[in-house]
């Protein structure tokens, strides 16, 4: 790949809003869409002003609700001709601001693409439109004793198109992988209105692996119109161990010990005392509220496989200092154990007016170090933090609790979150695992990647979107932004963690 000179990337690509411009764009879009599918009045566009990162809001100039691929093609061509930015949007459950609108742009919602196109039980695949909910895929496959493995906490609402954009994971991604490991094929429309298919329903596809490039590209390369996913057989049995620890360092080490023993659980999650006490009154999952941390370790497979793996995990957890171990005895009890972890985010509303959910990934061996670091930051910033982790693969989700009505607390929460991400980089990790970069972590990209690496990202975007009209000013920071962030964060003339390689 040729690295283009950084000066070729504009500092900002966002145009200014004007009523005349809005009228022009609405008139053009109504030539290709019915009137009810083009929203532009404030009361109609207000529901689209943010995604799950509600601290940042912006009314879009126009929202379009296409129902067919042909309409998506026409929208893309019209916006290209008018040089109007497009922000693709799924269900709006994303947590990094990836679907936040642009003041003079169009939000393209795929909410009406809700059809399961084909379910092939013999091939164990499902072909669905992007607006199909994550959980609805498993519901459609249930009659064949199959299901779709990636299970974000928002799976009841989030859509497969959004999952593809963010490369979503879930509590079972340790064993079964992220979205990128479970998608075979994507059909998408480029900014020029070209329909492109990436990947294949076969075991491999010819040419460059652009499917892996596209998954996780956060709506910056094209708009998804169809996805083919893998389905897997429902396990005969699944059971969960709930293990308590009176020390977070021991619980972190226990995670590494389980994996080091050659065990790959279906799920391996950690919750600290703050998150356990936050969740337990909300869902009554039966958690040990006296523990400093708990681990949820799931085994699935045949009855014999589960019994053997549960026994091995018990041994490792006991040797790692577990003070209490419970094993689910029924399917209802297994689901109850998981319900607490799945409801950690909404439960935060019981104890705090606002929360800021971070998403970083670290090597498992550094879980304890990072937990202790976050505890130190709680004292530094005067804010509480509830920690929930996809511990098995080192994906952290610290929930920073704050009150936006108190002057300066949102800024403190942002600074707290940025320092957590810098710590992730410092221990050899990354600034995101499954939530994406969006606008939330765009400054932290300056910490992780060098100017040449960032410009290589722009070169990939330019190959798909020469005019930089698809979700501009998201995910990849410009040199100007990084220079401004550097002035704020460089200390003594040196970038933090300057000795570390940038990946």
């Amino acid at each position: 790949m040729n690295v283009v000179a950084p000066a070729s990337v504009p500092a900002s690509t966002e145009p200014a809003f004007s009523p005349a411009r809005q009228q022009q764009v609405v008139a053009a879009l109504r030539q290709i869409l019915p009137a009810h599918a083009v929203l532009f009045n404030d009361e109609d566009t207000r529901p689209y002003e943010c995604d799950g990162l509600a601290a940042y809001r912006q009314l879009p100039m126009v929202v379009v609700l296409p129902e067919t691929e042909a309409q998506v093609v026409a929208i893309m061509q019209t916006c290209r001709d008018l040089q109007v930015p497009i922000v693709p949007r799924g269900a709006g459950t994303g947590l990094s601001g990836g679907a936040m609108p642009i003041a003079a742009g169009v939000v393209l919602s795929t909410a009406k693409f809700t059809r399961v196109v084909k379910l092939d039980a013999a091939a164990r695949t499902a072909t669905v439109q992007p607006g199909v909910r994550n959980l609805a895929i498993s519901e459609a496959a249930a009659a064949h004793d199959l299901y779709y493995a990636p299970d974000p906490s928002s799976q009841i609402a989030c859509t497969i198109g959004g999952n593809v954009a963010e490369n979503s994971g879930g509590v079972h991604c340790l064993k079964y992988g992220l979205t990128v490991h479970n998608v075979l094929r994507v059909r998408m429309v480029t900014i020029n209105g070209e329909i492109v298919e990436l990947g294949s329903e076969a075991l491999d596809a010819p040419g460059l692996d652009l499917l892996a490039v596209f998954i996780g590209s956060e709506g910056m390369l094209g708009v998804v119109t169809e996805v083919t996913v893998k389905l897997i057989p429902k396990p005969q049995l699944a059971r969960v161990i709930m293990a308590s620890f009176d020390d977070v360092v021991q619980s972190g080490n226990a995670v590494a010990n389980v994996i080091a023993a050659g065990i790959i659980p279906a799920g391996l999650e950690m919750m600290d005392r703050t998150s356990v006490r936050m969740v337990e009154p909300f869902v009554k999952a039966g958690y040990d509220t006296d523990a400093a941390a708990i681990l949820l370790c799931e085994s699935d497979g045949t009855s014999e496989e589960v019994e053997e793996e549960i026994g091995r995990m018990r041994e490792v957890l006991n040797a790692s200092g577990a003070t209490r171990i419970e094993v689910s005895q029924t399917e209802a009890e297994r689901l109850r154990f998981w319900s607490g972890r799945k409801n950690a985010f909404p439960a935060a509303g019981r104890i705090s007016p606002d929360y800021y959910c971070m998403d970083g990934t670290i090597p498992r061996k550094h879980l304890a170090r990072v937990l202790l670091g976050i505890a130190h930051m709680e004292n530094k910033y005067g804010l509480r933090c509830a920690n929930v982790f996809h511990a098995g693969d080192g994906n952290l989700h610290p929930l920073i609790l704050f009150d936006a009505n108190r002057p300066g607390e949102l800024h403190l929460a942002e600074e707290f979150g940025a320092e957590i991400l810098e710590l992730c980089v410092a221990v050899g990790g990354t600034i995101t695992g499954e939530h994406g970069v969006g606008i939330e972590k765009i400054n932290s990209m300056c910490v992780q990647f060098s100017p040449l690496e960032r410009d290589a990202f722009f070169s990939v975007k330019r190959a798909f979107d020469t005019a930089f009209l698809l979700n501009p000013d998201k995910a990849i920071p410009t040199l100007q932004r990084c220079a401004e962030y550097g002035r704020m964060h460089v200390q003594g003339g040196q970038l933090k963690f300057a000795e570390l390689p940038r990946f």
Side-chain angles (χ1 to χ4, degrees):
M1 178 182 297
N2 294 322
V3 178
V4 182
S8 66
V9 179
S12 175
T13 54
E14 185 170 337
F17 170 85
S18 74
R21 176 66 160 168
Q22 183 184 49
Q23 292 173 10
Q24 177 194 25
V25 173
V26 168
L29 290 170
R30 282 189 164 177
Q31 294 295 313
I32 58 176
L33 293 169
H36 70 266
V38 182
L39 312 179
F40 60 93
N41 293 318
D42 285 2
E43 63 267 27
D44 296 324
T45 60
R46 183 72 63 184
Y48 300 88
E49 67 180 352
C50 68
D51 58 12
L53 186 65
Y56 302 97
R57 300 168 184 262
Q58 172 63 61
L59 277 177
M61 180 172 67
V62 182
V63 176
V64 290
L65 297 160
E67 298 181 20
T68 67
E69 185 178 70
Q71 290 176 341
V72 174
V73 168
I75 292 166
M76 300 290 265
Q77 292 172 334
T78 298
C79 289
R80 176 205 59 195
D81 293 344
L82 294 174
Q83 291 294 287
V84 179
I86 297 174
V87 177
R89 179 186 173 98
T93 58
L95 293 167
S96 63
M100 193 183 84
I102 290 170
V106 168
V107 168
L108 191 160
S109 170
T110 58
K112 294 190 175 182
F113 284 76
T114 58
R115 189 162 61 92
V116 176
V117 178
K118 180 177 67 173
L119 199 151
D120 188 334
R124 295 181 181 173
T125 64
T127 298
V128 301
Q129 292 184 320
V132 173
R133 294 178 300 111
N134 174 290
L135 189 58
I137 299 175
S138 293
E139 291 170 347
H144 305 282
D145 288 325
L146 301 170
Y147 75 108
Y148 179 61
D151 56 344
S153 295
S154 59
Q155 68 177 148
I156 192 172
C158 66
T159 61
I160 190 64
N163 291 174
V164 167
E166 303 298 331
N167 192 22
S168 304
V171 299
H172 291 96
C173 64
L174 173 63
K175 183 173 181 178
Y176 296 109
L178 301 164
T179 300
V180 71
H181 305 112
N182 288 274
V183 168
L184 294 169
R185 167 186 159 273
V186 166
R187 185 175 170 96
M188 65 91 165
V189 181
T190 70
I191 189 63
N192 294 319
E194 180 184 6
I195 297 172
V196 178
E197 290 199 5
L198 306 174
S200 167
E201 293 188 25
L203 291 176
D204 199 2
L208 297 173
D209 185 9
L210 295 178
L211 180 63
V213 172
F214 187 84
I215 296 174
S217 61
E218 304 190 34
M220 297 191 298
L221 304 183
V223 174
V224 177
T225 57
E226 197 172 272
V227 184
T228 300
V229 302
K230 299 176 186 177
L231 301 174
I232 61 175
K234 288 183 178 178
Q236 184 184 105
L237 178 67
R239 297 174 71 192
V240 177
I241 294 177
M242 182 169 62
S244 303
F245 292 84
D246 57 14
D247 181 83
V248 293
V249 173
Q250 285 184 323
S251 64
N253 290 338
V255 171
N257 293 342
V258 168
I259 305 300
I263 304 169
I264 304 296
L268 180 50
E269 301 284 307
M270 180 193 294
M271 301 174 69
D272 70 0
R273 178 182 285 133
T274 301
S275 59
V276 166
R277 291 182 174 178
M278 174 179 77
V279 165
E280 181 58 25
F282 183 55
V283 298
K284 297 178 173 58
Y287 290 167
D288 182 356
T289 55
D290 293 324
I294 66 168
L295 295 182
L296 297 172
C297 314
E298 180 165 286
S299 175
D300 66 6
T302 65
S303 299
E304 294 78 11
E305 289 171 337
V306 171
E307 182 178 359
E308 189 267 342
E309 192 168 79
I310 288 286
R312 291 176 63 202
M313 284 197 289
R314 268 183 179 274
E315 291 178 5
V316 173
L317 294 170
N318 279 321
S320 300
T323 56
R324 172 178 160 188
I325 288 181
E326 294 182 52
V327 182
S328 64
Q329 299 302 313
T330 65
E331 178 64 6
E333 189 173 29
R334 182 186 77 88
L335 294 175
R336 180 163 54 83
F337 283 178
W338 279 122
S339 68
R341 171 60 185 88
K342 290 274 190 176
N343 285 283
F345 295 176
R350 295 176 59 90
I351 66 171
S352 178
D354 302 283
Y355 69 86
Y356 184 30
C357 177
M358 298 308 299
D359 165 49
T361 303
I362 62 171
R364 284 182 293 264
K365 63 182 179 181
H366 291 306
L367 278 170
R369 175 181 170 184
V370 171
L371 278 168
L372 293 175
I374 291 173
H376 172 74
M377 294 176 210
E378 287 185 273
N379 294 326
K380 176 180 177 179
Y381 292 99
L383 298 174
R384 292 175 297 166
C385 184
N387 292 292
V388 292
F389 296 97
H390 297 315
D393 58 0
N395 187 200
L396 325 179
H397 293 314
L399 303 178
I400 300 169
L401 310 178
F402 71 100
D403 185 350
N405 293 314
R406 293 179 181 172
E409 277 213 1
L410 172 58
H411 177 68
L412 276 178
E414 291 175 322
E415 289 288 301
F416 191 164
E419 188 166 345
I420 290 174
L421 295 181
E422 290 190 9
L423 179 57
C424 290
V425 174
V427 300
T430 66
I431 63 167
T432 182
E434 57 175 348
H435 292 177
V437 176
I439 58 171
E440 178 200 36
K441 305 186 192 74
I442 194 165
N443 288 338
S444 298
M445 288 283 285
C446 304
V447 175
Q448 179 117 43
F449 297 101
S450 71
L452 286 177
E453 288 167 323
R454 296 194 302 271
D455 203 62
F457 298 155
F458 277 119
S459 296
V460 173
K461 177 168 175 59
R462 188 180 293 105
F464 285 82
D465 175 21
T466 306
F468 283 73
L469 291 175
L470 283 172
N471 218 6
D473 297 334
K474 306 276 180 69
I476 313 171
T478 61
L479 285 174
Q480 177 180 324
R481 174 181 285 273
C482 286
E484 292 171 353
Y485 185 71
R487 282 195 291 272
M488 290 186 290
H489 285 261
V490 168
Q491 297 178 349
Q494 297 294 323
L495 179 68
K496 285 185 178 181
F497 317 122
E499 75 285 358
L500 292 169
R502 303 310 193 212
F503 301 100

